[in-house]
């Protein structure tokens, strides 16, 4: 077991998210807005649809900033409100990141679709 001591006024935040095994063979876990303490609190809806060999993760998300997720495979495409967005995928860690802009409406829910 690794132990680490923090100095006074230092902190670490750990986010624990269950990893979903999809029938397409991919594994996926949404982390949320990575610059927030409660990163996963922005996810208001989550469902998975599978049409072999493509699995689709559909999320409703509130907020803005960098969004992160774990994926065992590189996404084929990510759309936010039906607009394809650029994303980064780190194959070694499985980290997928993309940006959510500041919404025009207050309390707006983004519709995010990730195709794996």
């Amino acid at each position: 077991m690794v132990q680490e001591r923090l100095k006074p006024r230092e902190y670490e935040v750990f986010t624990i998210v269950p990893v979903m095994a999809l029938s397409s063979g991919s594994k996926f876990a949404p982390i949320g807005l990575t610059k927030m303490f409660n990163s996963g609190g922005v996810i208001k809806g989550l469902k998975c649809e599978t049409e072999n060999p493509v699995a689709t993760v559909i999320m409703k998300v509130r907020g803005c900033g960098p969004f992160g997720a774990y994926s065992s495979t590189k996404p084929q495409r990510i759309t936010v409100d039906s607009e394809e967005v650029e994303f980064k995928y780190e194959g070694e860690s499985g980290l997928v990141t993309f940006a959510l802009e500041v919404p025009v409406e207050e309390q707006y829910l983004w519709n995010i679709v990730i195709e794996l």
Side-chain angles (χ1 to χ4, degrees), residues 4-77:
E4 191 172 318
R5 292 199 183 268
L6 297 174
K7 296 175 185 156
R9 297 189 183 135
E10 283 188 333
Y11 62 89
E12 287 288 332
V13 176
F14 295 92
T15 300
I16 300 171
V17 181
V19 176
M20 299 179 291
L22 307 174
S23 61
S24 66
S26 297
K27 294 179 181 171
F28 183 83
I31 297 167
L33 293 176
T34 59
K35 299 287 184 181
M36 295 182 66
F37 283 114
N38 182 15
S39 60
V42 301
I43 301 168
K44 302 301 178 188
L46 173 67
K47 70 177 183 174
C48 300
E49 297 175 355
T50 303
E51 295 175 18
N52 288 334
V54 177
T56 304
V57 177
I58 302 166
M59 293 180 282
K60 298 272 191 191
V61 174
R62 179 170 289 138
C64 60
F67 188 93
Y70 163 78
S71 179
S72 62
T73 58
K74 182 179 180 179
Q76 296 176 15
R77 185 167 85 129

Side-chain angles (χ1 to χ4, degrees), residues 67-115:
F67 188 93
Y70 163 78
S71 179
S72 62
T73 58
K74 182 179 180 179
Q76 296 176 15
R77 185 167 85 129
I78 298 176
T79 59
V80 176
D81 286 350
S82 301
E83 297 286 326
E84 194 164 342
V85 297
E86 288 187 31
F87 64 90
K88 293 180 183 174
Y89 179 71
E90 297 175 14
E92 194 173 298
S93 66
L95 181 64
V96 178
T97 55
F98 58 93
L100 290 176
E101 301 297 323
V102 176
V104 177
E105 299 174 32
E106 236 180 272
Q107 302 295 313
Y108 184 77
L109 287 174
W110 297 106
N111 294 302
I112 299 171
V113 178
I114 301 176
E115 295 175 11

